[in-house]
Amino acid sequence: MRYTTCADCDKKVPLNDTFRYQERDYCTECLRIREERNELFDRDMMENIDHTVCANCGADNGATEYDRLAGLPVCGNCHRFYTNRPFPTWVKAFVLSIFLVGAAGISYNFNYIQAFIEMRRASGNLQKGDIESAAQEATEAARRLPHIQSLQNLSAFYRAMDHLMNERPGKAVIILDGLVRRNPAEKTYQKYLLHAQAGQAFNNRKYANFYRYNKSLLELTPDDAMTLLGVASGAACLYAATGKNHYRREATMLIRKGIELIKPEEKERAMQYIERIEYRLKTRKIITQKEYLKLKANQEGSI
Amino acid sequence: MIIPGILISIATFPGVIIHEAAHMFFCKLRRVAVLDVKFFQFDMNTTGYVIHTDPEDFTSSFLISVGPFIINSLLCIVICFPAVLPYTVFDDLSWFSMFLIWLGVSIGMHAFPSNQDASELWRKARAELKNRNLLVILSFPLVIIIYVANILSVLWFDVIYGLSIGILLPGYLFENFL
């Protein structure tokens, strides 16, 4: 520790307890007296710093000066403290709790995250044409979140599509009927219900119903070629069953209309459908698509 | 509507604490002495501060100044992400998710460094320009963004930023990419 002599009282005082004024050192008491007497004419005074005493903890280093930190002398311990200042315990606890809350958030919403991933996979599978896998993923997602009605609806819809695509229209009707009852404004469900009902009616040889369901479908999608051909198919079935010529004329007219509306991407499917309808009109035989393809294959084989 | 900054800081206090903790974290990481720190205080002008010595290199200056922007933004996204998904995708929002969104947005709101941090970074960047440090080139537009963001905070820009990265960004990603 360093000492200096006060220019007024002549006492030897620690350097840290003095100020430098007009090139002389003064203790705080004498400086205060001067201030009371208005004898401080120049405000240019500086607090003296003893670089042998730690500015933080006051540790005395004898005659040796400490290293400086931000211009002030600090001992080794204090230097280490400032350089590696610890976070207060409450801050550590606070930050830890933030991380724990974040982790809890992920855990709490994990079912949503998984359901989201499953629905994305279902959508991808649907785009690839793998409706069975899409239905499975959608069902799994719906199982995780039973309270989300939109997810339950989507899962049911995928399952219905799976049944429809795999020629199980009866099972599709059950699911789609429930969907339409719960969501009367949703046109997509109505449309596919009619598809399924038409398919079921055809399988059950209820051709009047088959025709009627296709006509109802046409009201929902009047400019769709495949729907028009569906009605033509129904009319052809009724012609095949009853022999009434007005059904034949209706079928022929609808085929002509349908051809005008065929989109390029559905051309092959539409032309195959038209072939079957024309076969039905020509022979008055009602056969399924599978049976028709088999017959055609046999005919081509025998040529 | 002008609401006193102290009230906003109290309502979003996690962001203030994380902001100062981010500054201090990078100080410790870069072995820069922290002379004083206040993680939160009830003061109209300054709700928190970190006083540190002058870093010896520009990278330390950059990280210490920009630290809150990195850490607060990241935490905001990570905390809000699982909470936003149920609402954005399934239209389902629980109380816990709302709490998470408040926490995340509070943290995100305090991502921007102060004007003081920005001016310090600008001063250091100018001095470092001759060394052709890549971070220096990044610093100049960043400082301008910080100044503009702090000016626009009277128009709730900090809230908009927190909401954007916490809610809008995840929502957009869920709808279009994920």
Side-chain angles (χ1 to χ4, degrees):
Chain A
M1 183 179 289
R2 288 179 181 148
Y3 291 83
T4 188
T5 305
C6 176
D8 274 352
C9 64
D10 229 20
K11 278 186 191 162
K12 193 177 174 188
V13 289
L15 186 64
N16 267 343
D17 294 342
T18 62
F19 286 79
R20 190 86 177 155
Y21 174 64
Q22 291 186 337
E23 295 179 17
R24 287 181 176 186
D25 294 330
Y26 293 89
C27 66
T28 49
E29 184 57 30
C30 291
L31 212 58
R32 186 186 62 77
I33 293 166
R34 275 185 171 254
E35 194 171 18
E36 281 172 5
R37 289 180 192 161
N38 289 323
E39 287 172 7
L40 289 176
F41 304 109
D42 179 359
R43 301 306 294 184
D44 185 20
M45 78 176 79
M46 238 170 38
E47 190 177 356
N48 281 326
I49 297 173
D50 182 356
H51 294 284
T52 64
V53 175
C54 179
N56 186 51
C57 67
D60 188 350
N61 207 27
T64 311
E65 287 190 359
Y66 282 123
D67 289 335
R68 314 278 170 91
L69 187 66
L72 293 172
V74 288
C75 65
N77 286 338
C78 291
H79 195 282
R80 273 187 294 278
F81 170 79
Y82 285 122
T83 311
N84 196 21
R85 191 185 192 107
F87 283 99
T89 306
W90 75 267
V91 172
K92 287 183 195 171
F94 182 81
V95 172
L96 180 65
S97 68
I98 297 276
F99 281 103
L100 288 174
V101 165
I106 293 172
S107 173
Y108 181 81
N109 290 313
F110 198 63
N111 271 336
Y112 291 94
I113 297 169
Q114 286 191 295
F116 174 74
I117 293 169
E118 279 154 357
M119 286 313 300
R120 276 290 184 260
R121 272 198 235 133
S123 177
N125 285 331
L126 189 68
Q127 282 174 7
K128 282 188 278 185
D130 185 358
I131 185 68
E132 191 179 340
S133 299
Q136 280 171 358
E137 296 279 4
T139 302
E140 195 53 36
R143 188 190 60 76
R144 291 186 193 284
L145 304 172
H147 60 290
I148 305 291
Q149 194 53 52
S150 59
L151 200 51
Q152 302 306 313
N153 288 344
L154 197 58
S155 162
F157 182 68
Y158 276 36
R159 280 185 282 116
M161 290 300 101
D162 182 34
H163 288 311
L164 260 184
M165 299 281 278
N166 288 294
E167 295 179 12
R168 298 187 294 266
K171 290 188 178 178
V173 165
I174 296 168
I175 297 171
L176 287 163
D177 189 52
L179 279 174
V180 169
R181 283 175 201 278
R182 289 193 297 274
N183 307 276
E186 184 55 60
K187 292 273 185 280
T188 307
Y189 297 153
Q190 289 174 23
K191 188 176 105 173
Y192 282 98
L193 176 60
L194 288 167
H195 266 303
Q197 284 171 329
Q200 188 181 38
F202 182 86
N203 288 352
N204 293 339
R205 300 175 197 274
K206 308 265 192 226
Y207 300 120
N209 288 345
F210 176 59
Y211 173 74
R212 186 166 54 82
Y213 286 132
N214 276 308
K215 282 206 94 167
S216 298
L217 200 49
L218 192 60
E219 284 171 24
L220 289 179
T221 53
D223 297 322
D224 182 56
M226 296 306 290
T227 308
L228 265 167
L229 294 176
V231 182
S233 177
C237 285
L238 286 173
Y239 168 69
T242 64
K244 290 181 179 172
N245 275 324
H246 70 88
Y247 287 124
R248 185 191 168 87
R249 283 193 296 274
E250 186 183 355
T252 308
M253 187 242 335
L254 287 167
I255 289 170
R256 259 204 312 273
K257 261 191 183 176
I259 287 172
E260 287 167 18
L261 294 172
I262 292 172
K263 295 187 192 99
E265 63 270 18
E266 61 187 3
K267 190 172 181 183
E268 192 181 332
R269 196 162 64 98
M271 295 317 289
Q272 283 175 1
Y273 200 7
I274 290 168
E275 260 186 43
R276 285 205 319 274
I277 298 169
E278 286 176 343
Y279 173 83
R280 197 175 292 159
L281 288 171
K282 190 176 165 188
T283 62
R284 287 184 66 186
K285 284 182 186 169
I286 301 172
I287 56 176
T288 64
Q289 183 186 10
K290 263 192 197 157
E291 287 166 343
Y292 178 75
L293 289 171
K294 197 174 167 185
L295 187 72
K296 198 177 166 190
N298 286 341
Q299 282 176 351
E300 283 168 2
S302 61
I303 287 172
Chain B
M1 190 168 82
I2 306 285
I3 295 176
I6 183 67
L7 291 180
I8 295 171
S9 294
I10 290 168
T12 58
F13 72 91
V16 178
I17 296 170
I18 297 294
H19 180 108
E20 305 307 336
H23 276 312
M24 186 163 158
F25 170 75
F26 281 103
C27 282
K28 283 167 69 77
L29 196 69
R30 303 297 294 182
R31 308 290 292 169
V32 172
V34 175
L35 302 175
D36 194 11
V37 59
K38 200 62 107 182
F39 292 95
F40 191 90
Q41 63 181 5
F42 294 94
D43 188 296
M44 293 290 282
N45 296 318
T46 314
T47 42
Y49 60 82
V50 174
I51 299 174
H52 56 82
T53 54
D54 206 21
E56 285 173 8
D57 58 289
F58 182 76
T59 303
S60 299
S61 296
F62 181 86
L63 287 173
I64 291 167
S65 294
V66 174
F69 186 72
I70 300 167
I71 290 181
N72 282 54
S73 298
L74 275 175
L75 270 178
C76 173
I77 292 169
V78 167
I79 290 170
C80 284
F81 202 85
V84 166
L85 186 145
Y87 178 67
T88 309
V89 178
F90 301 108
D91 215 14
D92 191 28
L93 191 61
S94 64
W95 285 105
F96 185 49
S97 289
M98 281 196 268
F99 167 75
L100 287 171
I101 290 170
W102 163 78
L103 181 64
V105 172
S106 297
I107 291 172
M109 270 178 66
H110 292 278
F112 283 95
S114 63
N115 284 343
Q116 201 173 347
D117 293 323
S119 66
E120 189 58 26
L121 189 60
W122 182 271
R123 186 180 68 80
K124 288 282 174 80
R126 284 184 63 190
E128 189 70 12
L129 205 55
K130 60 183 184 300
N131 293 334
R132 298 184 188 185
N133 189 331
L134 270 176
L135 282 179
V136 170
I137 296 164
L138 188 62
S139 295
F140 290 112
L142 207 55
V143 165
I144 293 168
I145 290 169
I146 293 168
Y147 276 127
V148 171
N150 286 324
I151 290 167
L152 291 177
S153 65
V154 293
L155 297 174
W156 300 81
F157 179 76
D158 46 358
V159 179
I160 293 168
Y161 177 76
L163 289 171
S164 297
I165 61 168
I167 299 174
L168 297 181
L169 177 64
Y172 176 76
L173 290 174
F174 289 136
E175 293 293 321
N176 296 293
F177 296 105
L178 295 177

